[in-house]
Amino acid sequence: MCGRLSQYRGIHDFVDTLSMPGVWRDTIGDQAMECYNVAPTTQVAVLRMDDAGLRADLVRWGWRPHWATDRAPPINARIEKVAHGPFFRAIWPHRAITPVDGWYEWVDEGGPKKQPYYIRRRDGRPALCASIGQFTGSEHDGFVIITADAQGGMVDVHDRRPVVLAPGPARAWVDPAFQPEHAEQMALNLGEPAEEFEWFRVSAAVGNVRNQGPELIKPIQ
């Protein structure tokens, strides 16, 4: 996963997709987010649960433990390692859903520059990406998106993909009572398959994070 995504709907559209009853604490607002070109370190909407219940917050995309000062904060975590390695040990129990309208990948097609592609669900619904993070209200907060090996034709655009969950598994993922070992197996085995998605070439303008707007996700020949 190459590190750009879109969140252009309103937070209530994302919450409705999750289909989780209850009162949500929303610190984001009611307006459409209109973010078509979201880069790492940007504040991104995440959905989660804490001791007081359901909430939607903006959290920085990227996280590293306090002792890993020799590298930039990763934005993704491989499901094959995340549950057992030391790097993400502190945040593995703190699960969230990152709802996205789609994400971008860059593909080497033999030209002078890589060609950007946009990937989204075929059915038009938001993609509910399994995530983990630190959500303490401090300057060190952040999150990463869980990734897995690409499946089916999606490997044509990248060898990794976000773990996108259907609403039922996504609700279990954010439930603090759901056991970590079960969450690991869910992420390994229940990610939505490649046939649920479509991908197409888009303008190279997405390469500049200052560019925003719906024209970035329109197909080109």
Side-chain angles (χ1 to χ4, degrees):
M1 189 174 176
C2 276
R4 293 285 177 85
L5 55 82
S6 67
Q7 281 187 329
Y8 54 78
R9 291 179 236 214
I11 194 64
H12 293 297
D13 294 319
F14 295 138
V15 168
D16 288 346
T17 300
L18 190 57
S19 299
M20 207 163 183
V23 177
W24 284 80
R25 285 171 292 154
D26 176 12
T27 65
I28 299 173
D30 295 333
Q31 301 300 313
M33 301 183 69
E34 297 185 346
C35 296
Y36 290 87
N37 193 7
V38 179
T41 74
T42 301
Q43 299 287 309
V44 174
V46 298
L47 309 177
R48 61 188 182 90
M49 294 184 68
D50 62 14
D51 292 341
L54 306 164
R55 61 182 302 142
D57 297 292
L58 292 174
V59 183
R60 185 177 64 244
W61 186 15
W63 181 88
R64 66 184 177 192
H66 65 87
W67 46 264
T69 57
D70 60 338
R71 70 195 78 178
I75 59 172
N76 303 322
R78 291 174 174 256
I79 185 54
E80 299 90 347
K81 299 180 179 179
V82 64
H84 305 287
F87 196 92
F88 295 110
R89 181 175 294 145
I91 63 169
W92 170 242
H94 306 298
R95 300 185 299 270
I97 289 294
T98 305
V100 304
D101 290 291
W103 68 95
Y104 301 92
E105 303 289 0
W106 276 257
V107 179
D108 186 353
E109 296 184 334
K113 294 183 179 180
K114 290 185 177 181
Q115 171 63 50
Y117 278 70
Y118 187 63
I119 304 171
R120 64 187 180 190
R121 291 188 61 99
R122 290 186 186 275
D123 61 11
R125 295 192 297 119
L128 303 174
C129 300
S131 306
I132 56 173
Q134 176 176 316
F135 311 112
T136 60
S138 79
E139 61 180 300
H140 303 296
D141 283 1
F143 77 95
V144 295
I145 294 174
I146 305 296
T147 67
D149 284 337
Q151 296 179 345
M154 201 179 293
V155 76
D156 296 341
V157 290
H158 205 269
D159 60 351
R160 305 293 297 179
R161 61 180 175 88
V163 174
V164 176
L165 299 173
R171 291 191 293 271
W173 177 263
V174 299
D175 184 348
F178 195 59
Q179 293 299 311
E181 59 270 22
H182 296 158
E184 179 187 8
Q185 290 304 310
M186 174 186 290
L188 281 167
N189 300 306
L190 294 183
E192 296 277 72
E195 53 264 28
E196 297 294 331
F197 300 88
E198 62 181 3
W199 48 93
F200 46 83
R201 294 178 178 88
V202 292
S203 168
V206 72
N208 187 335
V209 73
R210 291 175 294 183
N211 293 329
Q212 293 286 343
E215 67 277 3
L216 295 178
I217 64 170
K218 291 182 178 179
I220 64 170
Q221 295 299 318

